[in-house]
Amino acid sequence: MPAPLPLTSADPDPSFAELIAARPHLSAHAMDGLLVEEVPLARIAREVGTPTWVYSAGALRRRARALQAALSGAGLHASIHYAVKANTSLAVLRVLAEEGLGADVVSEGEMLAARAAGIAAADIVFSGVGKTEAELRRALAEGIGQINLESAEEAATLSALAAGMGRTARVALRVNPDVDARTHAKITTGKSENKFGVVLDDAPALYRRLTELPGLEPVGVAVHIGSQITSGMAAYRGAYAKLADLVRALLADGLPVRHIDCGGGLGIPYRDEPAPLPEALAGAIAATLGPLGLPVMLEPGRWIAGPPGLLLASVVLQKQGRDRRFLVLDAAMNDLVRPAMYDAWHGILPVGGADLVAPVSPADVVGPVCETGDTFARGRALPSLQSGALVALLDAGAYGAVMSSTYNMRPLAAEVMVEGNRFAVIRERQAAEALLAGQRLPAWLGGGGS
């Protein structure tokens, strides 16, 4: 398995100009500095404050359309169900719903968010290895389009619930193809030691069993092999070839298969590393599953939402250590945890017009949380940035705000959406007082509880 991209690299980092050029929704202006679409980030900072998540609606639309075009160009009858776990913002979901995307959800909360954003229940796929009975009841009541079953035990549970409610659940069986996606160990999902799906050899008998269980209507098979896949199409082709063999066997046995759920996982270039284009994924699907002549479903998350988002932060102070310079931001690992969790590399751009062309030198970019792991980058080439200067951490639209916490009692950041020359706050900044909401002192400590 390839190592994750580290916080530092022996190779030269992309220049500011290269980072901006690779992201069409970004531009630089001598006076206004860094812009998202037509809105200066400095304006957002003045009016909303920092740290703030900023999403480009235009970039979301372009990426959704590019994936749709790739699938259509490969001759596939395909539907796209955005993986809500990547970014659960109602505004993001609404934009993607307007582009014709459905949703892939893994919790009741994500299901409710998708519905609130205007996504029809019939266009929602409910995935996940540990759905509770309460969640399954809600899915049945909502009339969710497809529930992906991950075990014989889950199938039995859902059958009993559906029969008891007088409902029929449309289900797909998720299989584990035992394919190494060559991604980070913490986000691979298609190997035999992972918790997801059923063993491929057990799938035919279990699929037949699904046709016999009351309250269940099997409609297809599903697979998902991991996230942030950038190593090419070999893993996809291997998984889809196994899936194709399974579908042929099921059809030969007279079992119903209406469509094939191909999962997601297509990676993005956070730095300047090679990453496959959606046309390559569409080609892999067409080559392996296309001959079956069945509709396919895709569940992308990061590829859609990652590049359109950034985290806007202010410099608290610039600190000179014995042998290194530190830029301390008002954003921290509780906001964007990926660098601390995965040693992930995120591009960092100064926002000010003068700062974008100023001389640079190595700096460690850190947050204020009391852990050394609260580090966004080491030795990054950045200009001298004094207190109040702004920076943008790029490609943070996926697995950014959704993984935030209130560690160190730090309120959740605001979220903003930009479209053209306008922007709106789509989630208010959490008030510090709200961090105490719901807490109670027991009576023996002077509280009013029992």
Side-chain angles (χ1 to χ4, degrees), residues 140 159-169 215:
L140 289 165
S159 171
L161 292 172
M165 293 174 63
R167 299 286 183 123
T168 298

Side-chain angles (χ1 to χ4, degrees), residues 236-313:
Y236 279 121
R237 285 177 176 268
Y240 295 156
K242 291 183 177 183
L243 205 59
D245 288 341
L246 171 62
V247 170
R248 291 188 186 97
L250 296 175
L251 292 173
D253 285 344
L255 298 173
V257 181
R258 296 185 190 171
H259 52 243
I260 303 170
D261 187 337
C262 298
L266 189 64
I268 62 173
Y270 282 95
R271 189 171 176 269
D272 55 2
E273 68 276 18
L277 296 174
E279 288 79 5
L281 177 58
I285 296 171
T288 52
L289 299 172
L292 296 170
L294 293 172
V296 298
M297 306 161 64
L298 260 73
E299 294 157 0
R302 186 193 314 265
W303 196 89
I304 295 283
L310 59 82
L311 178 58
L312 178 62

Side-chain angles (χ1 to χ4, degrees), residues 130-177:
K131 310 176 198 70
T132 67
E133 289 191 8
E135 288 176 322
L136 291 173
R137 287 193 190 94
R138 187 61 179 264
L140 289 165
E142 290 281 338
I144 295 304
Q146 177 174 300
I147 299 174
N148 285 352
L149 296 176
E150 303 236 5
S151 65
E153 294 82 357
E154 185 176 51
T157 297
L158 180 59
S159 171
L161 292 172
M165 293 174 63
R167 299 286 183 123
T168 298
R170 293 173 294 277
V171 299
L173 182 63
R174 178 174 177 178
V175 299
N176 186 319

Side-chain angles (χ1 to χ4, degrees), residues 44-416:
I44 294 175
R46 285 194 305 270
E47 298 186 23
V48 182
T50 58
T52 294
W53 304 94
V54 182
Y55 310 121
S56 163
L60 286 166
R61 295 186 193 280
R62 283 193 298 273
R63 296 184 75 81
R65 293 170 188 177
L67 184 54
Q68 290 168 330
L71 295 167
S72 177
L76 295 168
H77 176 35
S79 60
I80 302 174
H81 302 260
Y82 165 71
V84 174
K85 58 181 169 288
N87 187 313
T88 59
S89 162
L90 290 182
V92 168
L93 296 175
R94 176 63 65 87
V95 167
L96 297 178
E98 289 180 352
E99 295 300 321
L101 272 60
D104 167 59
V105 305
V106 294
S107 70
E108 182 178 9
E110 290 186 0
M111 185 195 318
L112 295 179
R115 296 290 287 122
I119 297 175
D123 295 328
I124 296 176
V125 176
F126 194 178
S127 303
V129 70
K131 310 176 198 70
T132 67
E133 289 191 8
E135 288 176 322
L136 291 173
R137 287 193 190 94
R138 187 61 179 264
L140 289 165
E142 290 281 338
I144 295 304
Q146 177 174 300
I147 299 174
N148 285 352
L149 296 176
E150 303 236 5
S151 65
E153 294 82 357
E154 185 176 51
T157 297
L158 180 59
S159 171
L161 292 172
M165 293 174 63
R167 299 286 183 123
T168 298
R170 293 173 294 277
V171 299
L173 182 63
R174 178 174 177 178
V175 299
N176 186 319
D178 194 21
V179 167
D180 186 356
R182 298 184 63 78
T183 186
H184 194 287
K186 292 184 179 180
I187 52 176
T188 187
T189 60
K191 297 174 67 176
S192 60
E193 63 263 33
N194 299 142
K195 63 184 178 181
F196 302 96
V198 301
V199 177
L200 196 61
D201 290 344
D202 296 340
L206 181 53
Y207 198 87
R208 177 171 291 281
R209 177 63 177 150
L210 297 182
T211 66
E212 301 166 351
L213 287 171
L216 301 186
E217 179 189 355
V219 295
V221 292
V223 70
H224 181 76
I225 60 174
S227 181
Q228 185 53 11
I229 299 171
T230 58
S231 58
M233 291 296 107
Y236 279 121
R237 285 177 176 268
Y240 295 156
K242 291 183 177 183
L243 205 59
D245 288 341
L246 171 62
V247 170
R248 291 188 186 97
L250 296 175
L251 292 173
D253 285 344
L255 298 173
V257 181
R258 296 185 190 171
H259 52 243
I260 303 170
D261 187 337
C262 298
L266 189 64
I268 62 173
Y270 282 95
R271 189 171 176 269
D272 55 2
E273 68 276 18
L277 296 174
E279 288 79 5
L281 177 58
I285 296 171
T288 52
L289 299 172
L292 296 170
L294 293 172
V296 298
M297 306 161 64
L298 260 73
E299 294 157 0
R302 186 193 314 265
W303 196 89
I304 295 283
L310 59 82
L311 178 58
L312 178 62
S314 297
V315 174
V316 175
L317 57 87
Q318 184 168 233
K319 172 183 174 181
Q320 184 61 52
R322 175 178 297 177
D323 58 357
R324 62 186 59 231
R325 175 170 64 106
F326 295 95
L327 289 173
V328 184
L329 307 183
D330 62 355
M333 63 185 287
N334 74 289
D335 298 302
L336 180 61
V337 75
R338 294 190 71 255
M341 182 177 288
Y342 303 123
D343 283 334
W345 195 99
H346 283 266
I348 302 176
L349 290 174
V351 169
D355 292 333
L356 281 165
V357 295
V360 298
S361 62
D364 288 4
V365 183
V366 302
V369 163
C370 296
E371 292 194 22
T372 302
D374 184 23
T375 299
F376 294 115
R378 299 188 185 95
R380 193 66 63 86
L382 288 164
S384 177
L385 296 171
Q386 301 306 314
S387 176
L390 299 171
V391 298
L393 286 79
L394 305 182
D395 304 317
Y399 306 106
V402 289
M403 296 179 74
S404 296
S405 74
T406 56
Y407 183 48
N408 277 195
M409 291 290 280
R410 291 172 48 81
L412 297 175
E415 295 181 64
V416 162

Side-chain angles (χ1 to χ4, degrees), residues 35-40 43 417-424:
L35 285 77
V36 172
E37 300 194 30
E38 300 170 42
V39 177
R43 178 186 165 198
M417 176 167 282
V418 174
E419 187 148 29
N421 61 3
R422 58 188 175 178
F423 76 89

